[in-house]
Amino acid sequence: MATKETPSKTVSLCEKIMYASATFSTDAVTSITAMYGNIFLLEVAQLPPLQTSGIIFSSLVCMIVTSPFAGYLIDRTETRWGKVKPWLWCTLPTQIVLYFMAWYVPNVSSEWRFVYYFVVWSSAEVVQCCYAVANKCKVMYMTTDTKERDSITAFRSAAQLFGLVVGVGYHGQIVAAYGQELHSDCTASSNSTVTPAHLQKQREGYMISAGVTGCLLLVTTLASLLGTTERLRSAAEETTEKEPIFQSVKEILSHRPFRYLQCIDLFFWMAVFGIEANIALFVQYSLGLGDQVQNVLLIFLVFSCAGVPLWHLLMTHWGKKSTLALAATLFLGFALSLFFVPGLLYAALPLAAFGGSLFAPFVLIPWSMLPDVIDDYTLERGNSKESLFFGVFAFFSNMGKAISQGLTAFALKLSDYKTGRCSQPTSVSLTLRVLISICPAVYSAFGLLFLSLYPITEHGRISTNKFLEKMRLFRRDKEEVSTKASSSKMKTDPGTPLLDR
């Protein structure tokens, strides 16, 4: 239930955990889709590379288009339960059904199979986008205190990375258990193709994992919905007029700090997703460690989750901009090193651990910088568009994913990737090394360039938050005085007598 009262500055630990639980499950979904989507459509659904990338790319385009519209509509949602909760309630069952359908392989021709995945994956991304935007912008309706919002964002980021670890962990183990015969075929003969019986066994593993994920989504989302309180009024005392969506988007895009933050997040997410989307294929074909894919991914994500407290501590002491610059510089060096890593497990695992620890700040810091930009906008323009800010911000994050995916599709097509083969040409191995190392390093360099131009400093954001807090206190005091005056007048004014007929 939403509340009209202004919440206290301190949000309880229980409420933070309940809020973060929804992120835990949705990011388990995101991580599984990102890391296993390519390999599922190529190796299990047996689609050619161009169709596979077309499906993933189109689904990301649907997500990109949906993000600002979702934010705009959430901003204009007014119910007794608040702005956000109705969206979470409505998208939950649809998301579970579509996720299960996304990992099902229909017994139809390859042409109809392509149509099936095109429709299902695109629909799933639209629903998941509405859910994600609603859940992420909810932090603005929980408290107005910047430290509390940073703390809530840290909980959400930790849950996000923990969801990545758990999701990839159980999914990888289930798929590996059902795919042992498939790896045996490839070990026996590198030039063989996968047998239909073993392929069907692999498909069963994906369906079991989808069922587990659906149950996880249901439980954690219900915990978030029932365990948190949402305010009916925004954290910035919303005064937004009912403007058309394109006018509203144009207005927030004209805000200079937001434009820089968008570019920062766009390039860093292109770098992160370039590694995330290709790491399974890289480990399998470039390093020749196909039977260790799930273990390398698990190490990568465990250290991602473990890195959140460290990076949050550094962010608190050094500031957001400085901490993100340090992380991006280290990430650039890590990406370049991947080009030279040999196909040895003892070399792959330490690099996976180091790279995972650098993954956390790109999940944590840009999203914690967004409320600072919204506060700056509110102070400058006198109105607030929190949900639309989150929707447009997600738009550019998803655009980074789509660009990386499009580049992957084009590169695999040129490298002569063969669907259903146990081994791939040397050109595929080299292409994957470039996609997972050189490209992310270049994207990180551009992200660092825009980060150096980002105008909001630590002192500036703290001053802005204090000034807005004073404005809220003044407005609240003024409303209380007005309410008391109206009440006093009602007691003393007998009103206008009724005229006799």
Side-chain angles (χ1 to χ4, degrees):
M1 178 71 76
T3 178
K4 292 184 179 180
E5 289 82 7
T6 303
S8 61
K9 287 187 177 182
T10 302
V11 179
S12 68
L13 176 63
C14 179
E15 193 169 356
K16 291 177 183 177
I17 294 173
M18 292 297 102
Y19 166 70
S21 64
T23 303
F24 167 78
S25 57
T26 53
D27 279 275
V29 169
T30 302
S31 67
I32 293 170
T33 304
M35 293 188 174
Y36 285 89
N38 257 334
I39 204 165
F40 169 79
L41 293 173
L42 288 168
E43 304 290 338
V44 181
Q46 297 281 286
L47 294 175
L50 202 57
Q51 289 186 3
T52 293
S53 296
I55 291 166
I56 297 176
F57 184 77
S58 64
S59 66
L60 290 173
V61 169
C62 289
M63 181 185 286
I64 289 170
V65 174
T66 303
S67 298
F69 283 96
Y72 179 81
L73 294 174
I74 292 168
D75 242 357
R76 276 142 187 78
T77 301
E78 297 290 347
T79 71
R80 58 176 297 189
W81 300 281
K83 290 176 176 288
V84 174
K85 285 188 176 182
W87 286 81
L88 299 178
W89 279 113
C90 292
T91 54
L92 173 62
T94 312
Q95 187 179 8
I96 293 173
V97 172
L98 287 173
Y99 181 79
F100 190 81
M101 292 175 65
W103 301 102
Y104 172 70
V105 182
N107 188 21
V108 294
S109 65
S110 59
E111 292 79 9
W112 282 109
R113 195 176 298 168
F114 168 73
V115 173
Y116 171 83
Y117 285 117
F118 184 89
V119 173
V120 171
W121 279 56
S122 297
S123 302
E125 290 293 353
V126 168
V127 174
Q128 186 180 344
C129 177
C130 293
Y131 183 99
V133 171
N135 187 55
K136 286 179 177 177
C137 73
K138 190 176 180 181
V139 66
M140 298 299 293
Y141 300 97
M142 293 177 70
T143 181
T144 61
D145 183 68
T146 182
K147 290 184 179 179
E148 281 298 301
R149 288 192 309 211
D150 287 347
S151 175
I152 295 169
T153 303
F155 269 83
R156 187 183 70 205
S157 299
Q160 180 176 351
L161 293 172
F162 188 51
L164 296 179
V165 173
V166 173
V168 171
Y170 72 73
H171 178 85
Q173 296 303 320
I174 291 172
V175 169
Y178 279 80
Q180 288 176 354
E181 294 90 346
L182 186 148
H183 287 298
S184 298
D185 287 345
C186 290
T187 302
S189 175
S190 61
N191 294 320
S192 67
T193 56
V194 180
T195 62
H198 293 165
L199 187 62
Q200 181 59 35
K201 194 76 171 175
Q202 182 84 95
R203 291 171 178 175
E204 291 176 7
Y206 275 92
M207 292 303 297
I208 291 172
S209 175
V212 173
T213 305
C215 295
L216 191 65
L217 269 170
L218 179 63
V219 172
T220 56
T221 304
L222 288 177
S224 178
L225 285 166
L226 300 176
T228 58
T229 302
E230 181 190 340
R231 293 161 25 112
L232 287 177
R233 301 179 69 177
S234 72
E237 302 298 342
E238 185 175 353
T239 57
T240 306
E241 298 178 359
K242 306 299 182 184
E243 301 171 343
I245 181 171
F246 294 108
Q247 183 179 340
S248 299
V249 170
K250 183 179 178 181
E251 185 177 338
I252 66 173
L253 287 176
S254 66
H255 190 57
R256 190 167 66 95
F258 186 56
R259 290 201 304 271
Y260 283 123
L261 184 59
Q262 283 175 331
C263 293
I264 292 166
D265 191 62
L266 171 66
F267 283 108
F268 284 152
W269 262 112
M270 286 175 64
V272 168
F273 192 75
I275 292 178
E276 186 180 33
N278 295 302
I279 189 170
L281 291 171
F282 172 74
V283 172
Q284 182 166 343
Y285 295 120
S286 294
L287 302 186
L289 300 172
D291 58 339
Q292 296 293 329
V293 169
Q294 71 277 7
N295 295 323
V296 173
L297 293 182
L298 190 59
I299 290 293
F300 181 85
L301 292 171
V302 164
F303 278 84
S304 298
C305 187
V308 172
L310 172 63
W311 288 107
H312 183 257
L313 182 65
L314 291 175
M315 184 182 76
T316 304
H317 285 81
W318 290 357
K320 300 176 183 179
K321 185 175 178 179
S322 301
T323 305
L324 187 58
L326 172 64
T329 304
L330 293 174
F331 185 85
L332 193 155
F334 160 73
L336 289 174
S337 70
L338 290 176
F339 189 83
F340 305 99
V341 62
L344 301 171
L345 187 60
Y346 67 79
L349 291 181
L351 266 179
F354 179 66
S357 66
L358 297 176
F359 189 79
F362 300 108
V363 176
L364 169 65
I365 300 177
W367 283 99
S368 70
M369 294 165 75
L370 182 57
D372 303 331
V373 170
I374 295 174
D375 282 348
D376 186 78
Y377 173 88
T378 303
L379 186 62
E380 181 181 312
R381 306 293 175 92
N383 59 58
S384 59
K385 297 180 174 68
E386 287 100 337
S387 301
L388 186 59
F389 266 102
F390 277 84
V392 174
F393 194 66
F395 172 93
F396 282 90
S397 296
N398 296 327
M399 182 182 290
K401 295 179 181 180
I403 293 171
S404 291
Q405 184 58 45
L407 181 61
T408 296
F410 183 70
L412 286 177
K413 179 67 176 177
L414 291 180
S415 65
D416 198 30
Y417 180 92
K418 302 293 184 182
T419 301
R421 301 291 298 182
C422 290
S423 63
Q424 297 293 339
T426 307
S427 57
V428 173
S429 174
L430 179 61
T431 298
L432 288 169
R433 284 186 182 272
V434 172
L435 288 173
I436 207 169
S437 61
I438 305 299
C439 292
V442 173
Y443 303 148
S444 298
F446 278 104
L448 279 167
L449 174 63
F450 284 103
L451 182 61
S452 67
L453 301 174
Y454 180 69
I456 297 179
T457 62
E458 284 299 300
H459 175 73
R461 76 177 187 86
I462 293 171
S463 299
T464 298
N465 187 260
K466 287 181 178 179
F467 190 81
L468 286 175
E469 191 62 33
K470 289 179 181 179
M471 289 175 61
R472 295 184 190 102
L473 291 172
F474 174 77
R475 187 179 289 110
R476 187 163 64 240
D477 292 342
K478 186 177 179 180
E479 288 176 355
E480 289 177 358
V481 170
S482 177
T483 303
K484 289 179 181 178
S486 299
S487 177
S488 176
K489 183 177 180 181
M490 289 178 64
K491 290 180 180 179
T492 57
D493 187 1
T496 304
L498 293 172
L499 296 175
D500 293 333
R501 295 189 177 182

